[in-house]
Amino acid sequence: MKNIRLFFISLFLTAAASAIAGAPTYEVQPSPTPADENHRDLFDYELDYTFSSNFYDVHGDFGHGDSIYNDFSYAHRFLIKGNWYFRAGVEYERFDFGGTDNGLPDHLQTVHALLALEYVVHDHAGMGIEIDPGPYFQNDIRGNTIDIPWKVFVTFPLKKDKIFAVIGVGGAINQSPVVAPGGGIIWLFSDHLRLEGVVPKPALVYYPNDDWEFRIFGNIFYESYRTDDVITPERKLQVHNAWVQYSEDRVGIQASYSGFKPFEITLGGGVTVRRDFDFFRAEASVKTRPAPFVKFEVVAKF
């Protein structure tokens, strides 16, 4: 359980040594050895279901809706030098929406690359640059469905071995705003309790032993997709091939068990406070009322 503390201490000592040594050169390394502290192959599958709730709508024309979220990703870390890695992979995400037939998209999806340069200690990235280029679409992949979301972040100590700051920024061509800040603080209260007060995924984390982890968490998710024909009861929201920024704001609790190596299994639930279909270029959006959600996730690292 001291890996988190060791991660932050080692991060800045070895980062400084790496910088003094000069610019890194790229070379593909063989399979991990027992001495390698960072896993190379990363798998992740997540399934979330948000129960039905009504849309905020004065006239009641939009009715109600629920949503299912599926996400699968695989990435491989290529060692560059020291603790610097190039991570490359692919991710498929899909939302399926049920409920009232109100003209809003019944699904949104993306299959995109994962490309990142990261400084990694004990499987945690302390700084990095990432881009996720690919099509973000409803039904058909076309040239005008391509987007390139990106993010940059860095971690540094505020109080030795105790408090760390994270500063980040991210954005995409077809989101509003185009650039948005992130970050926060990480506070190590003890070897078993820490605060990850970092937007967009803040959490209070308790880990009684090496196999169990419990989180009280928040999640601010938003992603933009090119839609097809969207014809709703709202006159202002009758658009063709428009970009919609879909977002979900959540709070919840989850438990993770990692005793079945190399897998970590997570079950959780809570409240999706808001779901928002924001057609920002048409200056129109539709939001739902709060609804409960459940979550299942499997992570594997080799």
Side-chain angles (χ1 to χ4, degrees):
M1 303 316 314
K2 296 184 179 180
N3 277 354
I4 297 296
R5 191 182 299 274
L6 291 174
F7 156 63
F8 290 109
I9 298 171
S10 302
L11 171 62
F12 298 98
L13 292 176
T14 49
S18 175
I20 294 171
T25 57
Y26 180 85
E27 57 177 320
V28 179
Q29 298 294 317
S31 299
T33 65
D36 193 341
E37 63 184 10
N38 298 313
H39 293 94
R40 301 294 184 86
D41 292 294
L42 311 174
F43 296 87
D44 193 339
Y45 172 71
E46 182 177 345
L47 171 65
D48 302 340
Y49 175 66
T50 297
F51 292 82
S52 182
S53 63
N54 292 330
F55 286 90
Y56 287 103
D57 178 25
V58 175
H59 304 292
D61 295 329
F62 284 89
H64 60 90
D66 58 4
S67 65
I68 298 175
Y69 173 69
N70 278 279
D71 178 23
F72 171 80
S73 66
Y74 165 74
H76 182 81
R77 287 176 176 149
F78 297 92
L79 179 61
I80 300 175
K81 184 179 181 180
N83 290 83
W84 286 101
Y85 290 83
F86 174 67
R87 176 168 53 84
V90 63
E91 181 174 23
Y92 177 72
E93 294 178 277
R94 179 181 174 111
F95 285 95
D96 287 279
F97 306 104
T100 304
D101 185 7
N102 51 28
L104 291 172
D106 58 4
H107 60 271
L108 298 167
Q109 57 190 319
T110 172
V111 54
H112 55 261
L114 302 172
L115 304 173
L117 176 65
E118 298 174 322
Y119 189 86
V120 184
V121 180
H122 295 296
D123 263 344
H124 296 269
M127 61 184 73
I129 302 173
E130 179 174 345
I131 60 172
D132 303 330
Y136 293 75
F137 61 103
Q138 181 176 345
N139 288 309
D140 301 318
I141 296 177
R142 300 183 299 271
N144 63 0
T145 65
I146 302 299
D147 204 354
I148 310 176
W150 58 272
K151 63 182 177 182
V152 180
F153 67 94
V154 63
T155 308
F156 57 91
L158 296 178
K159 184 176 180 181
K160 184 179 179 181
D161 303 345
K162 195 75 173 179
I163 305 174
F164 302 84
V166 180
I167 297 177
V169 64
I173 299 170
N174 296 294
Q175 76 173 34
S176 179
V178 175
V179 178
I185 64 167
I186 299 173
W187 193 323
L188 309 182
F189 297 118
S190 70
D191 288 340
H192 299 283
L193 182 67
R194 72 179 182 269
L195 172 67
E196 298 178 358
V198 180
V199 176
K201 295 183 178 181
L204 181 64
V205 186
Y206 173 64
Y207 35 103
N209 54 52
D210 289 336
D211 292 335
W212 286 98
E213 179 187 275
F214 301 91
R215 285 177 176 256
I216 301 173
F217 68 92
N219 188 4
I220 303 172
F221 173 93
Y222 59 93
E223 202 161 60
S224 294
Y225 305 84
R226 175 78 73 172
T227 62
D228 297 333
D229 294 336
V230 176
I231 308 298
T232 75
E234 179 66 38
R235 180 179 299 178
K236 193 174 183 180
L237 195 42
Q238 297 181 1
V239 294
H240 307 277
N241 297 322
W243 283 93
V244 60
Q245 182 168 276
Y246 178 72
S247 62
E248 292 189 353
D249 300 336
R250 295 179 179 174
V251 293
I253 59 174
Q254 68 179 44
S256 301
Y257 180 71
S258 56
F260 301 121
K261 303 298 183 185
F263 300 100
E264 180 180 271
I265 301 172
T266 298
L267 295 174
V271 176
T272 299
V273 179
R274 185 188 68 167
R275 289 171 284 163
D276 183 9
F277 295 83
D278 183 8
F279 294 82
F280 54 93
R281 288 173 181 161
E283 298 183 345
S285 69
V286 182
K287 303 176 178 65
T288 65
R289 298 180 184 275
F293 79 90
V294 291
K295 170 185 177 178
F296 170 74
E297 185 175 10
V298 177
V299 175
K301 299 179 180 180
F302 300 91

